[in-house]
Amino acid sequence: MPFSEVIGQDRAISVLQRSIALERVAHAYLFSGIEGCGKKKTALAMVQAVFCGKEEACGVCSSCRKIASGQHPDLHVLEPDGAFIKIDQIRELQKELAYRPFEAPKKACIIDGAEKLNLASGNALLKTLEEPPGNALMILITAERSAVLQTILSRCQTLDFQPLPAELIEGRLVRDQFPAEAARVAASLSGGSLSRALEIAGDGVLEGRVTFLERVFALNLKDINTLFATAEELAADKEGLPGFLELLLSFLRDVLIYRSTPDALANVDLAHLVAREAERCTETVTIELIEQLVALRRLLVRNVNARLALEVFFMRLAER
């Protein structure tokens, strides 16, 4: 996973390569940006380069191949165990980092989901962030920088990763053999996330999108049982719910901008549905719905009752 395989993050990569060239690699980084914009790929590329001793890893040596396969003994990747990263996980990581490197010049760890560090696990990590044993390299990754403990933020060098341009995502999807039209629509709906675009293009999301939107915008307070049933069904699909909400948010944004810039729609193939809802929903109400939907997504990250939260939002949507 050399840096050259990461798309759309030239600025962040330039900073990292310069630090390697000048031998000024920080002991702890926080990579912040939306899901699927290349943070973890860049973290792996960074570790490869440091272990390889070059600004750009060769990608073919034993060390590079072990990192790419997830088998390097000196690289430890930590992810949430359930809703949070637990203190026992941090203590186990600290034990691993305390050992001498087996093969590499130093130990390295990637903590994917730094916002899931709770107060106990975050506090346990502080000493290691301040003084990594053996000059270990620590890279924390987050899609929710505002949810990361301030004490963690203050001990890391932060690099911001930008959403990927739609044209880059479209080009990657076409290169991966997706149909041109599906690639174009998926890229426009992805919000700058390559992983999201791959989900949209490959998992039948485009085919079910119209049915989902028609169903949601047909909700009526006079048929409250259907509204509650829809909320319950979506809440039960924990893996699919974030994607459904992203589709709905994208559509509402299109409804908002349709009156002024109808040529700038993300849902380029659903202009007729966007126009219909723009007629039904005032600009003020559309803005309120967008704000409430954004707030709903934040609440769901904090593990609130998804069904109740959706019921409240759908009732507001039905009032329009």
Side-chain angles (χ1 to χ4, degrees), residues 78 85-97 111 117-118 120-126 128 138:
L78 186 63
I85 295 174
K86 298 173 182 176
I87 191 169
D88 288 344
Q89 292 178 274
I90 297 300
R91 287 172 176 163
E92 184 61 30
L93 174 66
Q94 289 168 329
K95 289 180 183 178
E96 293 291 342
L97 294 180
I111 300 177
L117 286 160
N118 57 27
S121 58
N123 284 337
L125 185 64
L126 292 180
T128 306
M138 305 185 69

Side-chain angles (χ1 to χ4, degrees), residues 141-212:
I141 299 173
T142 183
E144 295 279 343
R145 180 175 174 177
S146 62
V148 178
L149 295 171
Q150 186 59 44
T151 49
I152 298 292
L153 284 173
S154 66
R155 288 163 173 81
C156 298
Q157 179 175 319
T158 301
L159 277 180
D160 292 322
F161 285 66
Q162 303 304 314
L164 301 176
E167 59 269 19
L168 280 182
I169 294 176
E170 181 179 351
R172 174 59 65 90
L173 293 180
V174 170
R175 194 191 78 178
D176 290 344
Q177 306 301 311
F178 286 98
E181 179 63 16
R184 182 174 68 92
V185 175
S188 69
L189 290 173
S190 68
S193 167
L194 178 58
S195 62
R196 177 64 183 142
L198 289 167
E199 291 174 5
I200 292 171
D203 289 347
V205 175
L206 293 178
E207 291 80 357
R209 183 170 46 126
V210 174
T211 300
F212 166 72

Side-chain angles (χ1 to χ4, degrees), residues 14-138:
S14 175
V15 170
L16 296 174
Q17 288 185 313
R18 187 164 60 250
S19 71
I20 294 171
L22 296 174
E23 297 183 352
R24 294 181 179 175
V25 174
H27 63 274
Y29 291 90
L30 179 75
F31 291 179
S32 175
I34 65 169
E35 292 289 354
C37 69
K39 302 184 300 298
K40 190 170 184 178
K41 285 185 177 180
T42 304
L44 289 169
M46 174 70 167
V47 175
Q48 273 191 333
V50 170
F51 283 10
C52 223
K54 304 172 183 176
E55 296 175 43
E56 175 78 5
C58 69
V60 296
C61 69
S62 173
S63 176
C64 286
R65 285 187 281 108
K66 287 179 180 179
I67 291 173
S69 65
Q71 301 297 318
H72 201 294
D74 294 318
L75 170 62
H76 305 280
V77 179
L78 186 63
E79 297 178 340
D81 179 10
F84 298 102
I85 295 174
K86 298 173 182 176
I87 191 169
D88 288 344
Q89 292 178 274
I90 297 300
R91 287 172 176 163
E92 184 61 30
L93 174 66
Q94 289 168 329
K95 289 180 183 178
E96 293 291 342
L97 294 180
Y99 295 133
R100 292 173 60 87
F102 288 95
E103 302 174 7
K106 63 174 70 180
K107 289 275 194 175
C109 74
I110 296 172
I111 300 177
D112 192 359
E115 73 279 2
K116 300 297 180 64
L117 286 160
N118 57 27
L119 191 58
S121 58
N123 284 337
L125 185 64
L126 292 180
K127 181 68 173 176
T128 306
L129 284 174
E130 290 172 343
E131 299 176 12
N135 195 31
L137 170 62
M138 305 185 69

Side-chain angles (χ1 to χ4, degrees), residues 232-273:
E232 183 176 9
E233 181 182 331
L234 290 178
D237 186 2
K238 293 183 179 180
E239 290 188 3
L241 181 57
F244 285 128
L245 296 183
E246 189 63 39
L247 286 178
L248 186 53
L249 181 59
S250 171
F251 188 83
L252 284 171
R253 285 170 174 159
D254 279 351
V255 171
L256 180 62
I257 69 172
Y258 177 78
R259 298 176 183 85
S260 58
T261 51
D263 295 331
L265 302 182
N267 296 270
V268 291
D269 56 332
L270 301 183
H272 61 294
L273 294 181

